[in-house]
């Protein structure tokens, strides 16, 4: 049981390049999330998927797209990377997207540097 | 709408002394509240959560937090700090409405000196 896995762990991009961050969970969770973490800002939600086949914007969705490929996998795509997207990206999952059952389990993170 | 404020960005304690990390919240609905810990270069780990059962919640590694509705607070405490407690701590709020996401505080960095 690996929990939540993310690839890659590190990535350096040039401005304008595109890339996809991969996330997978093996806990049979319904809901998955993408966050970014910046110094002094805590974690901010980019997009989430409450259940397979649905996705919704979070607090900071601009410049990103997501795909809930199946129940296990939720990818985050940067179509044209900008230096402002330099951050640490965390994927998380939870059994349900609802209050008391909202314990989220986090992956180890992807560190992205955009030059 | 939900929001959470961590009142200290940095707390320093000596090993063996008590830890207090302060958190105030705002929520339009009955909230669920969480504390997560992040050790350097690691992902986030759930310490404890409050979901409208007992107001005093015990978590892992000797941490506990008390939900005080009248004060809209959910402070994290530990009687005796250990060097391994040095990390960043996040207070998190969500409502019990389906479809609402977690709202994270900006974090408190805990330093523990010997």
């Amino acid at each position: 049981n690996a929990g939540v896995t993310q690839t890659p762990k590190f990535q350096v991009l040039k401005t304008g390049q595109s890339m996809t961050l991969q996330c997978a969970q093996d806990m049979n969770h319904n809901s998955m999330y993408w966050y970014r973490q910046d110094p002094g800002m805590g974690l901010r939600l980019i997009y989430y998927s409450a259940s397979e086949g649905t996705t919704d914007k979070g607090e900071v969705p601009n410049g990103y797209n997501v795909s809930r490929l199946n129940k296990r996998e939720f990818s985050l795509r940067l179509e044209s990377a900008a230096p402002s997207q330099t951050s640490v990206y965390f994927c998380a999952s939870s059994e349900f997207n609802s209050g008391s059952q909202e314990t989220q389990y986090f992956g180890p993170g992807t560190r992205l540097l955009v030059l | 709408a939900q929001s959470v404020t961590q009142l200290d960005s940095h707390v320093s304690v000596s090993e063996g002394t008590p830890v207090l990390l302060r958190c105030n919240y705002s929520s339009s609905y009955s909230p669920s509240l969480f504390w997560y810990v992040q050790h350097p270069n690691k992902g986030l780990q759930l310490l404890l959560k409050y979901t409208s059962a007992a107001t005093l919640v015990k978590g892992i590694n000797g941490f506990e937090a008390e939900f005080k509705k009248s004060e809209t607070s959910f402070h994290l405490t530990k009687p005796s700090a250990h060097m391994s407690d040095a990390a960043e701590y996040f207070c998190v709020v969500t409502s019990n409405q389906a479809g609402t996401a977690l709202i994270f505080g900006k974090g408190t960095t805990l330093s523990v000196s010997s």
Side-chain angles (χ1 to χ4, degrees):
Chain A
N1 189 337
V4 180
T5 57
Q6 293 182 234
T7 55
K9 291 184 179 177
F10 303 98
Q11 185 70 49
V12 179
L13 291 178
K14 295 180 179 178
T15 297
Q17 287 185 315
S18 63
M19 79 162 295
T20 300
L21 282 66
Q22 306 287 354
C23 173
Q25 52 89 11
D26 62 2
M27 295 174 282
N28 201 35
H29 284 170
N30 291 288
S31 303
M32 298 185 73
Y33 312 82
W34 276 106
Y35 294 90
R36 60 177 290 173
Q37 182 180 29
D38 302 293
M41 300 291 289
L43 274 73
R44 292 180 293 169
L45 183 66
I46 304 171
Y47 271 92
Y48 69 103
S49 171
S51 61
E52 187 178 356
T54 69
T55 60
D56 287 285
K57 294 179 180 179
E59 182 184 352
V60 288
N62 291 344
Y64 305 96
N65 286 301
V66 291
S67 295
R68 184 73 183 268
L69 304 170
N70 48 55
K71 192 171 186 179
R72 290 187 64 249
E73 299 172 288
F74 189 39
S75 63
L76 178 72
R77 183 160 178 83
L78 288 70
E79 290 291 352
S80 179
S84 61
Q85 294 178 303
T86 293
S87 188
V88 182
Y89 291 85
F90 287 99
C91 178
S93 70
S94 64
E95 186 173 3
F96 295 103
N97 175 235
S98 177
S100 63
Q101 298 177 76
E102 187 64 67
T103 300
Q104 294 189 6
Y105 297 84
F106 286 80
T110 295
R111 295 181 180 275
L112 176 65
L113 173 62
V114 183
L115 302 174
Chain B
Q2 288 77 240
S3 67
V4 61
T5 302
Q6 293 184 241
L7 299 170
D8 307 291
S9 59
H10 196 178
V11 171
S12 296
V13 300
S14 299
E15 192 173 21
T17 64
V19 175
L20 170 64
L21 305 183
R22 299 182 294 164
C23 172
N24 286 350
Y25 72 91
S26 172
S27 179
S28 304
Y29 304 97
S30 297
S32 291
L33 292 154
F34 308 78
W35 278 97
Y36 280 85
V37 61
Q38 183 181 31
H39 287 92
N41 300 313
K42 299 288 186 184
L44 282 81
Q45 181 184 20
L46 180 68
L47 271 180
L48 50 81
K49 69 177 181 180
Y50 165 77
T51 57
S52 75
T55 56
L56 182 62
V57 182
K58 294 187 183 298
I60 61 173
N61 300 334
F63 284 94
E64 62 181 37
E66 186 172 7
F67 173 71
K68 292 187 176 180
K69 186 176 181 178
S70 61
E71 299 176 12
T72 61
S73 70
F74 190 58
H75 300 334
L76 181 71
T77 60
K78 182 174 181 177
S80 177
H82 192 273
M83 295 294 286
S84 61
D85 294 328
E88 190 158 20
Y89 292 79
F90 294 97
C91 182
V92 182
V93 66
T94 188
S95 80
N96 287 318
Q97 301 293 304
T100 55
L102 300 184
I103 305 297
F104 281 76
K106 293 185 178 181
T108 298
T109 300
L110 176 65
S111 299
V112 182
S113 60
S114 57

